[in-house]
Amino acid sequence: MKIIVQKFGGSSIDIGSLYEPNPELIMKAARRVIAVQKKGYQVVVVVSAPGKHTDCLSQVALSVSGRAVPSARELDMLLTTGEQISIALFSMALDKLGARAISLTGHQLGIVTDSSHTKAKIKKIKTKNLKRLLEDGYIVVVAGFQGVSKKDITTLGRGGSDLTAVALASVLGAEHCEIFTDVDGVFTADPRMVPAAKKISRISYEEMLEMASAGARVMQARSLGFAQKYNVVVHVRSSRHNRPGTLIGGEKKMLERVVISGVTYDRNQAKISIVDIPDSPGVAAYLFGALAEKNINVDMIIQSASKNGKNSISFSISRNDLKKTLEVMKKVKGRLKAKQVIADAKIAKVSLVGLGMRTHAGVAAKMFKALAGKKINIEMISTSEIKISCVIREREVKKAVQAIHRKFNLGKQEK
């Protein structure tokens, strides 16, 4: 029998408050699942924590711990409770509608990860029990975002429920993986920022991965890398209606005139500069090795020209890692005898993504002209075959995205 994996984000199964519960959304999602089962599919459902539950728990953790970075192990223990609420309630909703359902945590299912708390990587998934339950007619409701390392609960990072769903679709050989959210699919830009943005009916893994890593919040970047590696077809669609969304799969056939797929932005950025460090072999290796040891991902890197045997290095990171990065840089500064470390948390990144960049010249110049036309200064630049990213002031994000979107005529209503 064919298998489908369906993932529902927190906004799609929000239950309201504990004092004024509203089961409407979760019941609607449950009816959608049963409709698929009635078409002859075995269904695995992956759910996130309801609504803003994870954000609220994170804030409580900061308040209670009194630390900038709470214990990663205890944070994982805390945050996984949100998904456990969702799987139990979703199973109850399915049961009410007459379906056989069972809920499983990541540990119960057998999602085995490494021991990197808050950013764990999946090592293997045990499927024997899951397949048996599906064959017995159960709809299996799985807690997203979590796994287990030895005996410790771990989490897969922000948006990790997407990774859970894609990984399960891969190991089960599912026909495809449906990601239900509160938007209609993937757009050429954030429609809240650019009203003329249009929905993309089909996009390649490569483009979607670049868009996600550049700030598009439709799917977790790691999940897209997994989907590409194991050729899992992903359908991003709205939980509010039954219309098609965006299919993410192998490289699409492109017309010559189709150059750009979309423009994205990421406000969750910070820039670090370490000034006057020795211009000698091994310095960069030491600096970025120290960051890697703390599991800090670096995005853009710029090194200045050498002057009097010294230079400066600037790099961008996730703003979530800023405090942890500054702790590392304090030690690095002393070791390298640098003049100073400068942190800037008022930046953002805007990016242009499209497979057509490979065969079309002048894309970067056109993007830079769009920004210059709005008097927006570019502080850092990085490029790949299909992406151009610029660091700008955070306050200028909206103006930048709108200008770039218009310059490349990405909106169906724009001229």
Side-chain angles (χ1 to χ4, degrees):
M1 190 177 287
K2 295 181 292 186
I3 299 173
I4 281 184
V5 176
Q6 296 184 306
K7 179 260 176 177
F8 292 88
S11 61
S12 300
I13 55 172
D14 194 3
I15 55 172
S17 73
L18 294 176
Y19 303 103
E20 295 183 13
N22 182 0
E24 181 180 344
L25 287 179
I26 202 166
M27 292 304 298
K28 184 176 181 178
R31 284 190 286 269
R32 185 187 289 270
V33 171
I34 290 174
V36 170
Q37 188 188 48
K38 286 181 177 178
K39 291 179 181 179
Y41 288 94
Q42 294 175 336
V43 187
V44 177
V45 181
V46 176
V47 292
S48 300
K52 299 291 184 180
H53 194 91
T54 301
D55 289 336
C56 292
L57 289 176
S58 296
Q59 289 300 316
V60 172
L62 290 172
S63 299
V64 171
S65 68
R67 296 167 58 186
V69 183
S71 163
R73 180 188 182 279
E74 302 309 326
L75 196 58
D76 277 357
M77 186 70 76
L78 174 69
L79 297 186
T80 52
T81 61
E83 279 69 25
Q84 290 182 55
I85 291 172
S86 292
I87 59 173
L89 292 175
F90 207 106
S91 296
M92 292 175 192
L94 290 167
D95 180 71
K96 180 180 180 179
L97 296 172
R100 297 182 75 192
I102 186 169
S103 63
L104 296 175
T105 65
H107 187 181
Q108 290 172 321
L109 174 60
I111 299 176
V112 181
T113 74
D114 64 16
S115 57
S116 301
H117 285 289
T118 74
K119 295 180 182 179
K121 292 180 175 62
I122 296 175
K123 296 171 67 175
K124 66 178 179 179
I125 299 178
K126 301 174 184 178
T127 60
K128 184 177 180 180
N129 183 44
L130 176 57
K131 288 179 177 178
R132 179 183 59 78
L133 289 168
L134 290 173
E135 289 167 2
D136 287 344
Y138 283 94
I139 294 173
V140 183
V141 185
V142 179
F145 176 62
Q146 61 182 252
V148 62
S149 174
K150 297 179 181 177
K151 293 184 179 181
D152 275 345
I153 293 173
T154 56
T155 63
L156 308 178
R158 194 70 175 178
S161 293
D162 291 342
L163 180 55
T164 303
V166 171
L168 284 172
S170 172
V171 296
L172 291 171
E175 186 174 283
H176 62 272
C177 176
E178 293 183 321
I179 305 292
F180 289 99
T181 181
D182 56 356
V183 296
D184 289 350
V186 181
F187 284 76
T188 53
D190 185 343
R192 294 167 298 184
M193 187 172 287
V194 183
K198 63 181 179 182
K199 187 181 74 176
I200 302 168
S201 60
R202 184 178 179 87
I203 191 168
S204 69
Y205 293 123
E206 196 172 358
E207 288 171 299
M208 194 62 233
L209 180 57
E210 290 282 23
M211 289 179 72
S213 64
R217 286 164 288 280
V218 177
M219 281 190 69
Q220 185 205 48
R222 282 173 60 197
S223 69
L224 290 162
F226 201 101
Q228 182 178 26
K229 182 178 180 180
Y230 295 102
N231 201 30
V232 177
V233 176
V234 179
H235 189 187
V236 178
R237 57 192 308 194
S238 173
S239 59
R240 307 292 198 255
H241 54 70
N242 291 317
R243 293 191 294 274
T246 300
L247 279 175
I248 305 171
E251 186 170 319
K252 61 183 180 180
K253 294 179 180 179
M254 299 192 62
L255 300 174
E256 280 298 312
R257 63 182 178 84
V258 180
V259 181
I260 303 301
S261 290
V263 54
T264 66
Y265 66 94
D266 185 0
R267 285 194 170 101
N268 187 34
Q269 293 280 303
K271 182 172 72 173
I272 303 292
S273 299
I274 182 165
V275 182
D276 284 355
I277 56 177
D279 183 24
S280 58
V283 169
Y286 169 69
L287 167 59
F288 295 108
L291 294 168
E293 285 180 3
K294 296 298 182 180
N295 210 16
I296 298 169
N297 292 321
V298 175
D299 188 2
M300 302 186 194
I301 303 172
I302 293 178
Q303 180 171 306
S304 68
S306 177
K307 184 177 180 181
N308 299 322
K310 293 184 179 295
N311 61 30
S312 299
I313 295 178
S314 296
F315 57 92
S316 63
I317 56 167
S318 166
R319 199 176 295 175
N320 296 334
D321 288 331
L322 180 56
K323 292 180 179 178
K324 187 164 59 170
T325 301
L326 289 176
E327 291 175 2
V328 173
M329 295 306 293
K330 184 177 180 180
K331 297 178 182 178
V332 170
K333 177 177 177 287
R335 171 76 179 272
L336 298 179
K337 298 181 180 178
K339 182 178 179 180
Q340 65 181 137
V341 172
I342 304 169
D344 183 355
K346 295 183 179 180
I347 64 164
K349 178 173 68 175
V350 291
S351 304
L352 201 58
V353 177
L355 284 174
M357 289 185 192
R358 290 173 173 160
T359 55
H360 288 74
V363 175
K366 193 173 181 180
M367 178 181 182
F368 301 156
K369 285 179 182 178
L371 296 174
K374 294 296 181 180
K375 302 188 185 307
I376 298 171
N377 186 50
I378 300 171
E379 301 183 20
M380 303 176 81
I381 300 170
S382 71
T383 64
S384 71
E385 271 195 317
I386 66 168
K387 182 181 74 174
I388 303 168
S389 296
C390 298
V391 165
I392 61 173
R393 291 288 93 192
E394 184 181 12
R395 63 177 181 274
E396 296 179 319
V397 165
K398 184 174 182 179
K399 185 167 57 171
V401 171
Q402 291 175 340
I404 296 168
H405 196 269
R406 187 178 300 109
K407 189 75 171 178
F408 286 87
N409 296 316
L410 296 179
K412 57 185 176 181
Q413 298 172 4
E414 295 180 337
K415 303 296 183 183

